[in-house]
Amino acid sequence: MSNKSSDTLFQLIKSLDKAEKRNLKLFVKRSHSSESMKSIQLFDALDKMNDYDEKILLKKVPSVSKQQLSNTKALLYKQILGSLRSLKVYTNIDIQLREMQDYARILYNKGLYMQALKILDKVKDIAKTYNQYTYIQQALFFEKKIEALYITRSLQNRADILSGEADEVNTLLRNTSRLSNLNLQLYSWFIQHGHARNENDLKSIKLFFENNLPENAAHLTGFYEKIYYYQSYAWYAFIRLDFLMYYRYSQKWVDEFENHPEMIEAETAMYIKGMHNLMSAHFDLMNRDKLAECITRFKNFAKGSKVQNNENNRLITYQYLYTAVINLHFLEGTFNKGIKMVPFLEEMLLQYEKYLDRHRVMVFYYKIACLYFGSGNNSKAIDYLNRIIHQKDDLRTDLQSYSRLLHLIAHYELGNYNLLEYLIKSVYRYMAKMENISKVEEAMLKFLKNSLNFNTKTIKPEFEKLLHQLKKYQGNRLESRAFAYLDVISWLESKIYGLNVQDVIRQKYLKDKGKKG
């Protein structure tokens, strides 16, 4: 039975490029065993398949019986990983450190203790340069083992020195662990719920944050301690819709990496994530020029070897780059230009579907829907919103709520009034169930319900009343959530002035640009 996404070996083979495939065959052919030859035949068959199908596979590789298949696949999987590890392109700092530790173990097993200690000293020096303190901890543990079993006479007061180093590293790792736990838990809260919905959310997240933040966190100096501290504050601020604080800590996050450029090499994905959050912060604060500047920097970074030579880095870079460029189109009111990106986005979503998490896909669908809605193509907006609504997922209940609200407005724009009454009840029930309804959303739903009684002459004053009512909430942090997800102000203005949403936003952008100029 065909199942493209479930077989791990098939997924791994499909991720290989030509150079990696060539290296694998050279790697395996060093062993002339019959099992190795079978694994190569299995590789060739899997490489040519578009979808994994065990029955077809067994026919293509008659030398491997059904009973042997599991073991041959396991061998091939191990051979591929060994081959990839041997390539210099995969010499990440952590792989180098593990390799050095392996050499120290081999020397230790040979009884060459002084040589083993010399390599462990190198491990610690390199690990300190790249802030890889878990490797220092492992090296120290090994050093203490050697010193406790053998009199090496390597250094006087060795025991005191090793004990002091171990205590220092353990304290640093303990702080880093606490802060990384806090960061992960805040991120998990956001993925589940989105932004704070009410005063109870604000109070509970504040209490959780303060109870789990180490007392001395602001004074810690280790690279990872500071990075996780900045990340935790960035998520805390983002959840609470404090976009100015979110920007400040996202900037600190990026600055810390750029002050230690060697760490961009060691933790490229974490730097990429920092740039994504910085660009998102500029979007949330409507800093169009700063966002454009960051996008240019990020595009240049994406061309470098740190991204191009690493599939994971390349994938997340392009996800975040597409997101940032769409956000720039939103700020500039160039929705039609943004729509031209959709085929590339669809291609990316299809090509990398097995690597993309559901949350990221959902965000892309919502942003594409907003592009079509802003350009006036409500039917296409509904198509993408349906992809979110029909997922029946428990992630990002806030995003799901706004997908339903935008879906309702798009049907209103299309004049599908026979659906409105049902949709309004459905959206209200969903948002009430999720405790996700704000004053802005309640006013919107009430207006749409009453709109069924308005005619073309009476509707415009009603739009103006609603616009006046909603503008009062723009300074309210909890209510600003509605404006962050859906530019309802521009939509109302488009109805009043008889324009598309993108034209209203474009006029605002050009007017603001003229003032700055």
Side-chain angles (χ1 to χ4, degrees), residues 466-476 479 483 489:
L466 181 60
L467 177 63
H468 179 72
Q469 180 185 355
L470 296 190
K471 279 187 172 182
K472 293 178 181 179
Y473 296 121
Q474 283 185 299
N476 184 308
E479 296 299 329
F483 306 115
I489 298 296

Side-chain angles (χ1 to χ4, degrees), residues 145-411:
K145 182 176 182 178
I146 295 172
E147 293 291 349
L149 291 173
Y150 305 99
I151 301 173
T152 63
R153 301 186 186 280
S154 57
L155 190 68
Q156 289 184 343
N157 303 321
R158 184 71 169 169
D160 291 340
I161 291 170
L162 288 177
S163 297
E165 286 181 358
D167 288 342
E168 183 182 341
V169 169
N170 288 338
T171 299
L172 191 147
L173 288 174
R174 187 164 54 251
N175 289 332
T176 301
S177 179
R178 285 190 64 187
L179 286 164
S180 64
N181 287 345
L182 175 59
N183 169 61
L184 182 61
Q185 288 171 308
L186 289 168
Y187 178 63
S188 176
W189 196 99
F190 176 74
I191 293 300
Q192 185 67 38
H193 306 290
H195 294 294
R197 299 161 292 183
N198 46 51
E199 286 294 337
N200 284 337
D201 278 353
L202 289 176
K203 288 176 182 176
S204 64
I205 204 71
K206 183 175 186 288
L207 184 65
F208 174 80
F209 183 77
E210 291 174 349
N211 287 343
N212 288 276
L213 186 71
E215 289 182 12
N216 62 336
H219 305 291
L220 297 175
T221 58
F223 176 82
Y224 284 104
E225 290 172 314
K226 291 167 77 174
I227 284 294
Y228 285 123
Y229 175 74
Y230 298 149
Q231 288 182 3
S232 295
Y233 257 105
W235 280 116
Y236 175 62
F238 191 58
I239 289 169
R240 289 169 55 86
L241 294 136
D242 188 340
F243 295 134
L244 186 57
M245 180 188 279
Y246 173 51
Y247 156 70
R248 286 171 179 161
Y249 281 94
S250 296
Q251 185 69 65
K252 287 175 184 286
W253 176 350
V254 171
D255 288 346
E256 189 65 21
F257 269 100
E258 294 182 347
N259 290 335
H260 299 87
E262 72 281 358
M263 293 307 298
I264 298 177
E265 182 78 36
E267 291 284 4
T268 309
M270 196 181 286
Y271 172 73
I272 292 168
K273 185 79 171 181
M275 283 296 295
H276 165 62
N277 279 274
L278 181 58
M279 291 187 292
S280 296
H282 284 311
F283 171 67
D284 290 326
L285 291 170
M286 301 185 73
N287 291 334
R288 183 268 165 203
D289 292 343
K290 289 288 185 180
L291 175 57
E293 181 186 315
C294 276
I295 289 173
T296 300
R297 282 171 54 202
F298 200 49
K299 281 182 178 177
N300 291 332
F301 176 77
K303 295 174 185 176
S305 60
K306 295 181 188 70
V307 172
Q308 294 302 318
N309 293 339
N310 185 296
E311 185 73 10
N312 179 60
N313 292 341
R314 188 161 66 249
L315 173 60
I316 60 175
T317 294
Y318 287 118
Q319 284 182 59
Y320 296 148
L321 191 55
Y322 277 129
T323 301
V325 172
I326 290 174
N327 285 342
L328 187 62
H329 286 304
F330 288 161
L331 293 182
E332 293 181 347
T334 51
F335 290 65
N336 285 333
K337 284 178 67 177
I339 287 169
K340 293 177 182 178
M341 294 171 58
V342 173
F344 299 101
L345 278 170
E346 286 282 17
E347 184 181 345
M348 183 191 75
L349 293 172
L350 181 63
Q351 183 179 355
Y352 296 107
E353 62 177 331
K354 55 183 175 288
Y355 305 111
L356 293 169
D357 61 76
R358 293 173 297 157
H359 170 242
R360 181 56 48 191
V361 173
M362 192 187 299
V363 170
F364 273 124
Y365 286 159
Y366 187 76
K367 288 192 175 292
I368 293 171
C370 288
L371 283 172
Y372 280 115
F373 176 76
S375 70
N377 191 337
N378 293 289
S379 294
K380 289 292 289 184
I382 288 169
D383 288 344
Y384 281 94
L385 293 168
N386 279 334
R387 296 188 190 186
I388 300 172
I389 295 166
H390 294 158
Q391 279 185 10
K392 305 295 182 184
D393 215 325
D394 59 352
L395 294 177
R396 291 295 302 277
T397 54
D398 60 334
L399 190 59
Q400 296 219 32
S401 293
Y402 282 98
S403 296
R404 285 163 170 77
L405 184 57
L406 184 58
H407 180 262
L408 175 59
I409 294 171
H411 275 292

